[in-house]
Amino acid sequence: MAEKIRSRKHRRSRENPPSMSSSSGLLAEELQCSVCLDVFTDPVSTPCGHNFCKSCLNRCWENSQECKCPFCKETFSKRPDLKINAALREVVQLFQKKSSVSESEVLCDVCHDVKLKALKSCLLCQTSYCETHLEPHQRVLSLKKHKLMDPVKNIKDYICQKHERPLELFCRDDQMYVCVFCTDGDHKTHNIVPLEEESKEKKSQLMKTQKDMQQMIQDKNKKIQDIKYFTELRKKNIEREKAASVELFSDLVRSIERCQAELLEMMEEKQKAAEKQEEKLIQELQQEITELKMRNTELDHLLHTEDHLQLLQIDPSLCSPPHTRNCPEISMSPDVSVETLRRALTQLQETLDQKLSQSVLRRIQQYAVDVTLDPDTAHPKLILSNDGKQVRHGDIEHELPDYPERFDKCASVLAKEGFLSGRFYFEVQVKGKNKWTLGVARESINRKGKIAVSPRDGFWAVGLWNENEYCACTDPCIYLSLRVKPQKVGVFVDYEEGLVSFFDVESRSHIYSFTGQSFTNRIYPYFCPFSNYKNSAPLIISPVNYNE
């Protein structure tokens, strides 16, 4: 292995122009990590064939929601298992060892006692000269024709080992540097260009690479600025939501206190009225008791007399009980207060529900996205509008390419837009339909043959069956009791929280939520309008109206 690496390294050194101060210029570019812009440390390779430092690539993926190549941007559905490229690491180590040697100072080959620093190296003489010993090459006519270059220690690498002549030409067929005699031999029919021309081409490639890398740096800096911007924006949004929450619950507290005060005042007034009525009744009863006692005394006197004439002359009214008012039943009568309290609590609950519903809907509508139906996924019997916002069942099956992503049995369609992170929200009009299903589905769902719509199979959806049976598509399904029939359904997804919620937009009420889900790949909005029997109205993706 080491011999092969040295052979490739030697060939690389021959391919670099002799005018360069080091034969490792191009090799350094190829052994450079495009993330840290330094020579590889523990190099690893991605499935797309590009190489990076292991720590640089791990850092890129740790700071991103998806695993993709930092160079070509190819995305990998599963994070690759990174293993160090042993061969490439050995090349890097040999390069670094040679670079440390080549960077040392080149000395004059002619000086005897104290060797001075070389100024130039002559390819024909194969010797490096200091300023003093270089003088003949600048004065003698024959020596002026010699090929001079910046001083190098490995000057033999710039000489053809076969013909002992300078490597002044480049063979593009074999991708190597050759001398003038080589063009009459093995390279006679090859595409040969002057060294300067190939060097210019290499420099042009390097400039392009450098430009691309500078653009990458700019892109990454812009990404950092975007992250900082959205971080600050998120902080401001959270502060606004906090302030709105404080205001909301302050309103609720004030409402509760106001209702409580009104209720207490009403109960106090009821108590005073009841006490006043009771006092009046007591006075009337005491008056009647006094009158009854007086008559009773009179009767007692008559009962003990023996004067028959007096008995026969008494008023006939004394022979029967006097007329008095009926005494009403006395009770605590709590019904009025309880009913009043019940009405107050009901009113308060309605106020609370309204405020909370408006707040929740207003918050999730901030995550509205533009959703468009994907015709490549649509069942052949479905008809999509030109703008991709409506879908209905057409009864007739059209001849369409059987793409892997197309549903072939279930009359369903997905949106073009998929989501791998964050939150999103969209609204669908279901008015006029007696059967429908909608929600979200993961990218890897089965689309061929009969399918089951449930979280276990990659679907999170709700639907209407048999005109008035609403259900959550679980296994088994959960039937829902809704106060009103939804005309427009809002779908909200929080990818990281594993939440999928459904809302009745017009009544601002919650329909159902899937919680604690685990999303591992991209998810797409899902629609199923079902057949046309009494159900010809389309499902319509509606723009979000924040004032509804």
Side-chain angles (χ1 to χ4, degrees), residues 381-418:
K381 288 187 178 181
L382 295 184
I383 299 176
L384 277 57
S385 61
N386 292 334
D387 62 359
K389 300 297 184 181
Q390 301 185 26
V391 57
R392 62 182 179 85
H393 198 282
D395 293 331
I396 300 175
E397 185 165 332
H398 299 278
E399 291 291 335
L400 296 174
D402 186 19
Y403 296 133
E405 59 267 30
R406 188 184 302 283
F407 292 93
D408 65 348
K409 294 296 182 183
C410 181
S412 303
V413 61
L414 297 180
K416 291 180 179 179
E417 297 78 17

Side-chain angles (χ1 to χ4, degrees), residues 243-297:
S245 298
V246 170
E247 182 181 357
L248 169 65
F249 285 101
S250 296
D251 288 344
L252 294 176
V253 170
R254 286 193 292 268
S255 297
I256 292 173
E257 291 175 346
R258 185 174 62 253
C259 290
Q260 183 184 34
E262 292 175 354
L263 178 61
L264 292 176
E265 182 179 358
M266 187 182 301
M267 294 177 70
E268 185 70 22
E269 291 177 355
K270 293 287 186 183
Q271 177 68 17
K272 289 180 179 180
E275 289 178 355
K276 186 176 181 180
Q277 183 179 7
E278 289 166 358
E279 289 176 357
K280 181 180 179 182
L281 180 59
I282 289 173
Q283 291 176 357
E284 292 176 351
L285 291 174
Q286 286 177 342
Q287 179 66 29
E288 291 183 355
I289 289 173
T290 300
E291 293 176 356
L292 289 172
K293 284 182 176 180
M294 291 175 61
R295 176 167 291 196
N296 186 61
T297 300

Side-chain angles (χ1 to χ4, degrees), residues 280-372:
K280 181 180 179 182
L281 180 59
I282 289 173
Q283 291 176 357
E284 292 176 351
L285 291 174
Q286 286 177 342
Q287 179 66 29
E288 291 183 355
I289 289 173
T290 300
E291 293 176 356
L292 289 172
K293 284 182 176 180
M294 291 175 61
R295 176 167 291 196
N296 186 61
T297 300
E298 185 178 355
L299 291 175
D300 186 62
H301 173 71
L302 293 173
L303 287 174
H304 290 87
T305 185
E306 295 181 357
D307 188 345
H308 302 290
L309 180 61
Q310 185 181 4
L311 285 173
L312 294 175
Q313 293 178 346
I314 63 172
D315 191 337
S317 61
L318 292 176
C319 295
S320 59
H323 176 73
T324 61
R325 296 175 52 184
N326 290 328
C327 185
E329 292 292 332
I330 306 299
S331 67
M332 295 299 296
S333 302
D335 295 345
V336 175
S337 298
V338 171
E339 182 61 30
T340 302
L341 177 61
R342 185 178 292 112
R343 286 199 301 268
L345 291 176
T346 300
Q347 181 181 2
L348 181 61
Q349 183 65 46
E350 290 175 353
T351 303
L352 176 63
D353 290 344
Q354 183 179 11
K355 288 182 177 292
L356 289 177
S357 297
Q358 291 174 352
S359 176
V360 170
L361 190 60
R362 188 161 53 245
R363 288 178 59 190
I364 66 175
Q365 284 180 331
Q366 295 177 2
Y367 301 100
V369 295
D370 185 20
V371 175
T372 308

Side-chain angles (χ1 to χ4, degrees), residues 71-321:
F71 187 79
C72 69
K73 309 301 182 186
E74 180 178 341
T75 301
F76 314 114
S77 59
K78 183 179 180 182
R79 181 166 178 165
D81 184 16
L82 301 176
K83 297 185 182 299
I84 296 177
N85 189 327
L88 182 56
R89 181 172 61 180
E90 188 174 352
V91 172
V92 171
Q93 292 171 348
L94 290 173
F95 166 75
Q96 291 175 328
K97 182 178 179 181
K98 182 174 180 180
S99 296
S100 63
V101 174
S102 64
E103 289 172 359
S104 62
E105 192 176 74
V106 178
L107 303 178
C108 177
D109 294 328
V110 182
C111 292
H112 293 292
D113 296 331
V114 179
K115 290 187 174 292
L116 300 178
K117 180 180 177 181
L119 185 63
K120 292 288 181 182
S121 294
C122 177
L123 289 177
L124 289 179
C125 301
Q126 299 187 31
T127 304
S128 298
Y129 298 102
C130 64
E131 184 177 5
T132 301
H133 292 115
L134 184 63
E135 189 271 338
H137 279 75
Q138 299 171 336
R139 176 175 49 82
V140 179
L141 184 61
S142 59
L143 294 178
K144 283 184 176 182
K145 298 179 180 180
H146 286 195
K147 184 73 172 179
L148 298 177
M149 61 179 293
D150 292 335
V152 292
K153 277 193 172 184
N154 55 333
I155 194 169
K156 289 186 178 181
D157 289 341
Y158 295 83
I159 303 298
C160 179
Q161 302 300 308
K162 183 176 182 180
H163 302 108
E164 295 294 325
R165 298 290 294 175
L167 297 170
E168 300 177 304
L169 303 172
F170 184 77
C171 176
R172 287 181 170 172
D173 291 345
D174 292 335
Q175 287 293 299
M176 62 182 296
Y177 289 92
V178 297
C179 69
V180 292
F181 292 152
C182 291
T183 59
D184 292 330
D186 298 337
H187 304 273
K188 186 173 183 179
T189 60
H190 292 181
N191 182 14
I192 305 296
V193 296
L195 185 64
E196 291 76 8
E197 181 179 341
E198 184 63 21
S199 178
K200 184 178 179 181
E201 179 68 23
K202 293 289 184 183
K203 287 183 178 180
S204 177
Q205 294 177 2
L206 290 176
M207 289 176 63
K208 183 179 181 304
T209 301
Q210 185 183 42
K211 184 178 179 180
D212 292 342
M213 290 172 61
Q214 290 174 346
Q215 183 62 46
M216 290 174 64
I217 293 174
Q218 292 178 5
D219 292 343
K220 292 180 183 298
N221 284 331
K222 185 178 182 302
K223 184 66 174 178
I224 291 174
Q225 295 301 319
D226 289 344
I227 292 174
K228 290 181 178 179
Y229 170 77
F230 285 112
T231 299
E232 187 64 25
L233 184 62
R234 184 175 61 253
K235 288 181 180 179
K236 292 181 180 179
N237 288 336
I238 290 175
E239 290 301 322
R240 283 199 299 268
E241 290 183 3
K242 286 181 179 178
S245 298
V246 170
E247 182 181 357
L248 169 65
F249 285 101
S250 296
D251 288 344
L252 294 176
V253 170
R254 286 193 292 268
S255 297
I256 292 173
E257 291 175 346
R258 185 174 62 253
C259 290
Q260 183 184 34
E262 292 175 354
L263 178 61
L264 292 176
E265 182 179 358
M266 187 182 301
M267 294 177 70
E268 185 70 22
E269 291 177 355
K270 293 287 186 183
Q271 177 68 17
K272 289 180 179 180
E275 289 178 355
K276 186 176 181 180
Q277 183 179 7
E278 289 166 358
E279 289 176 357
K280 181 180 179 182
L281 180 59
I282 289 173
Q283 291 176 357
E284 292 176 351
L285 291 174
Q286 286 177 342
Q287 179 66 29
E288 291 183 355
I289 289 173
T290 300
E291 293 176 356
L292 289 172
K293 284 182 176 180
M294 291 175 61
R295 176 167 291 196
N296 186 61
T297 300
E298 185 178 355
L299 291 175
D300 186 62
H301 173 71
L302 293 173
L303 287 174
H304 290 87
T305 185
E306 295 181 357
D307 188 345
H308 302 290
L309 180 61
Q310 185 181 4
L311 285 173
L312 294 175
Q313 293 178 346
I314 63 172
D315 191 337
S317 61
L318 292 176
C319 295
S320 59

Side-chain angles (χ1 to χ4, degrees), residues 1-18:
M1 172 61 74
E3 182 61 32
K4 290 183 179 179
I5 295 175
R6 286 194 293 271
S7 175
R8 290 196 296 268
K9 185 174 181 182
H10 177 69
R11 180 178 179 183
R12 290 277 188 176
S13 67
R14 295 178 64 193
E15 293 176 355
N16 284 283

Side-chain angles (χ1 to χ4, degrees), residues 430-454:
V430 296
K431 183 178 181 180
K433 298 191 66 62
N434 59 31
K435 193 174 185 180
W436 51 264
T437 302
L438 61 89
V440 294
R442 64 170 177 246
E443 187 175 21
S444 59
I445 56 171
N446 176 36
R447 310 184 191 196
K448 305 300 180 183
K450 293 183 178 180
I451 61 175
V453 179
S454 70

